[in-house]
Amino acid sequence: MRNIVILGNGIAGITAARHLRKRCDDEILVISGESDHFFSRTALMYIYMGHMAYENTKPYEDHFWDDNRIQLLRAWVTGVDFAAKTLTLQGGRTVRYDVLILATGSKPNKFGWPGQDLHGVQGLYSLQDLEQMETSTRRGVDRAVVVGGGLIGIEMTEMFHSRGIPVTFLVREKTWMQRVYPREESEMINREIRDHGIDLRLATELERVEGDDRGWVRSVVTTDGEEIPCQFLGLTVGVSPNIEFLRTTDLETDRGILVDGHLRTNQEGVYAIGDCAQVRDPVPGRRPVEPLWYTGRMMGETVARVITGEDLPYDPGIWFNSAKFFELEWQVYGNVGATPADGEETLFWRDPGGKKAIRINYRTGDRTVTGFQVMGIRYRHELCHQWLEEGADVRTVLENLGAANFDPEFYAQHEKDLISIYNQKHPDAPLRLKRRRGLKGFFQLRRAS
């Protein structure tokens, strides 16, 4: 019987533990210094906003772990001896392993700004970050500043807004995430942020942080020389793999822990998954490091199957993601970048109120659909994924697009507007929207044909 040790109790590590238990009787130990039990990291903002208690963010009852013979240890790991196959814990205790899974997650980035280590300056990733944020803002905050135009930045902005704390949001790009989002969708997000009373400053960068005589932040200074008074500064300029304590070992690292297609490191019996892993040769269209909830889950299941004898390479499949910017929901499936790729066209529709949008990308030649992006509308993941996987013709997709709409039956439908735009671009063979049958009816139609 092997001792399998998992370092990290996030979605990647816990998924690995669950699937290992389904497939083997080995000893399984999960070590984490962050929390006693697995919780939903994406729900941290809702704890601060008062929508959820910490207990409600745990997907499993506390007895689940004993019931499934998964041991939990609350401890910080300070070092790893790969030759001796031992972990050193804070305080000096050692833990031996036969198989080690590194799932150490991410940490917020800092870029050496003067004053970045003052009290009241922090990122948001861990449960400890949330607790520190609660403590720092409880002392009284007249204004907060958030730096960084990513998803965590807008979440932190919404967290302050929910408590009535004025927020200035500094984004260095000329429009929100302009390298990722097409201009139209980026402008919709800009407007959504400002419509909620946020002081959004585009094309504005942080120069330094000023402190008071007690060591707390009192203001930030931008590269334009403007000083903005504040009592809290959120640094949300991305995350990076949490692997600094492994840099001096024989483990091969780059930005993250280097792994092969089966998530194996260069050390015998050692694997890396989740945010801390860097795939040496990622599948086309995917990044070497992808700090996403669903890729962590997929890596966790894959590594469990590899460890129990399956020859299963890691394959993240078709790209997808989703988020919510205040009240504006967003979904993306497939390839939708700031501009269409070479040999691609895009169909875009936006409602007059600027709260909903649909974009479909497709190849110019064979008209194969390559990506979907929707704002303020929900599409069915299952169906969009199938269309992309099968290389569906955009004309077939458009005529049956009503089946993808996840919104309730009596919500306004907008697929006809998108078809109208397509027909204007391609008047040679006009399309029409087929009667909406819902997802079940659509699949019955496909089987019959």
Side-chain angles (χ1 to χ4, degrees):
M1 183 177 292
R2 297 174 296 181
N3 293 321
I4 301 177
V5 176
I6 302 170
L7 183 49
N9 71 345
I11 183 62
I14 291 302
T15 302
R18 290 177 49 247
H19 283 273
L20 281 166
R21 180 50 71 227
K22 291 177 182 180
R23 292 171 169 81
C24 71
D25 289 323
D26 294 314
E27 296 286 342
I28 300 173
L29 170 65
V30 179
I31 303 175
S32 171
E34 180 181 11
S35 60
D36 290 317
H37 300 98
F38 168 55
F39 67 94
S40 176
R41 192 173 304 282
T42 56
L44 284 176
M45 66 179 295
Y46 300 113
I47 299 175
Y48 185 87
M49 295 167 69
H51 298 170
M52 301 178 73
Y54 167 71
E55 293 298 317
N56 304 134
T57 70
K58 295 188 290 185
Y60 306 102
E61 298 290 343
D62 292 351
H63 61 77
F64 172 88
W65 311 104
D66 286 337
D67 292 348
N68 288 276
R69 295 180 292 115
I70 298 173
Q71 301 176 62
L72 305 178
L73 176 61
R74 179 79 177 268
W76 295 105
V77 173
T78 58
V80 184
D81 186 334
F82 293 107
K85 292 194 170 184
T86 57
L87 307 176
T88 300
L89 309 182
Q90 196 173 59
R93 175 185 170 185
T94 60
V95 174
R96 185 187 173 280
Y97 68 85
D98 296 307
V99 176
L100 176 63
I101 302 174
L102 298 168
T104 55
S106 291
K107 59 182 178 61
N109 288 333
K110 289 185 176 182
F111 291 106
W113 292 288
Q116 68 179 18
D117 295 321
L118 289 164
H119 297 303
V121 180
Q122 67 167 89
L124 179 61
Y125 180 84
S126 68
L127 187 61
Q128 284 72 32
D129 290 335
L130 179 68
E131 292 167 349
Q132 182 180 346
M133 185 175 173
E134 183 71 60
T135 299
S136 295
T137 53
R138 195 183 297 126
R139 63 188 287 270
V141 174
D142 295 325
R143 174 166 294 276
V145 172
V146 176
V147 177
L151 299 181
I152 297 177
I154 202 166
E155 287 181 356
M156 185 179 278
T157 299
E158 185 173 357
M159 290 161 72
F160 287 124
H161 178 72
S162 72
R163 293 197 178 187
I165 299 172
V167 186
T168 295
F169 194 9
L170 307 184
V171 177
R172 70 176 181 177
E173 287 85 5
K174 294 180 180 178
T175 185
W176 204 83
M177 289 187 74
Q178 66 181 25
R179 293 173 297 171
V180 178
Y181 286 81
R183 176 182 54 82
E184 293 88 351
E185 285 93 322
S186 178
E187 290 175 349
M188 290 176 67
I189 298 170
N190 294 340
R191 183 164 53 252
E192 182 72 12
I193 294 170
R194 286 174 169 147
D195 283 351
H196 282 80
I198 306 303
D199 176 25
L200 175 62
R201 309 281 189 94
L202 298 171
T204 305
E205 296 188 57
L206 177 65
E207 173 71 26
R208 66 182 186 274
V209 189
E210 298 288 349
D212 62 20
D213 55 7
R214 296 172 298 166
W216 285 85
V217 57
R218 65 172 175 81
S219 66
V220 300
V221 179
T222 70
T223 51
D224 294 330
E226 180 184 7
E227 184 170 6
I228 304 172
C230 65
Q231 294 76 44
F232 187 97
L233 172 60
L235 297 179
T236 62
V237 285
V239 296
S240 54
N242 181 29
I243 61 170
E244 291 310 308
F245 72 106
L246 298 167
R247 293 286 190 188
T248 58
T249 70
D250 293 330
L251 188 70
E252 287 188 6
T253 63
D254 181 33
R255 185 183 169 206
I257 301 168
L258 291 168
V259 296
D260 65 12
H262 290 75
L263 305 173
R264 296 174 294 223
T265 72
N266 70 313
Q267 298 297 310
E268 181 184 358
V270 181
Y271 302 79
I273 57 176
D275 292 13
C276 70
Q278 178 177 336
V279 181
R280 293 177 187 270
D281 297 302
V283 299
R286 304 304 295 255
R287 302 186 187 103
V289 179
E290 290 187 328
L292 299 169
W293 183 92
Y294 81 88
T295 53
R297 176 179 53 80
M298 294 171 72
M299 282 185 168
E301 180 175 355
T302 299
V303 82
R305 295 171 69 175
V306 169
I307 289 170
T308 53
E310 292 190 46
D311 183 18
L312 180 72
Y314 168 64
D315 182 2
I318 294 169
W319 168 265
F320 71 91
N321 205 356
S322 64
K324 188 176 181 182
F325 311 110
F326 288 92
E327 297 174 9
L328 182 63
E329 294 190 57
W330 162 72
Q331 293 175 297
V332 63
Y333 305 104
N335 300 321
V336 180
T339 57
D342 291 340
E344 285 187 352
E345 296 185 55
T346 188
L347 284 176
F348 179 75
W349 167 85
R350 180 169 54 193
D351 78 313
K355 294 289 188 179
K356 298 180 181 181
I358 304 170
R359 183 182 297 275
I360 301 178
N361 286 359
Y362 59 97
R363 295 195 185 101
T364 302
D366 59 12
R367 301 190 186 181
T368 298
V369 67
T370 57
F372 300 85
Q373 181 158 276
V374 288
M375 308 286 286
I377 299 171
R378 298 178 185 178
Y379 272 2
R380 297 182 186 274
H381 181 176
E382 179 183 9
L383 188 49
C384 292
H385 183 276
Q386 179 173 310
W387 277 330
L388 292 166
E389 190 173 54
E390 294 180 349
D393 189 299
V394 68
R395 291 163 290 195
T396 300
V397 169
L398 288 170
E399 288 185 329
N400 294 280
L401 197 55
N405 204 313
F406 191 78
D407 288 325
E409 182 177 359
F410 297 109
Y411 271 46
Q413 306 297 306
H414 309 287
E415 289 78 21
K416 289 192 299 183
D417 299 307
L418 199 62
I419 285 182
S420 177
I421 295 171
Y422 179 88
N423 287 339
Q424 292 174 24
K425 293 183 66 171
H426 304 281
D428 52 310
L431 304 177
R432 62 180 180 84
L433 182 67
K434 293 182 179 178
R435 184 174 64 86
R436 187 182 185 195
R437 298 174 177 83
L439 186 61
K440 180 178 179 181
F442 176 75
F443 283 122
Q444 289 174 340
L445 173 67
R446 293 183 73 253
R447 283 195 293 268
S449 61

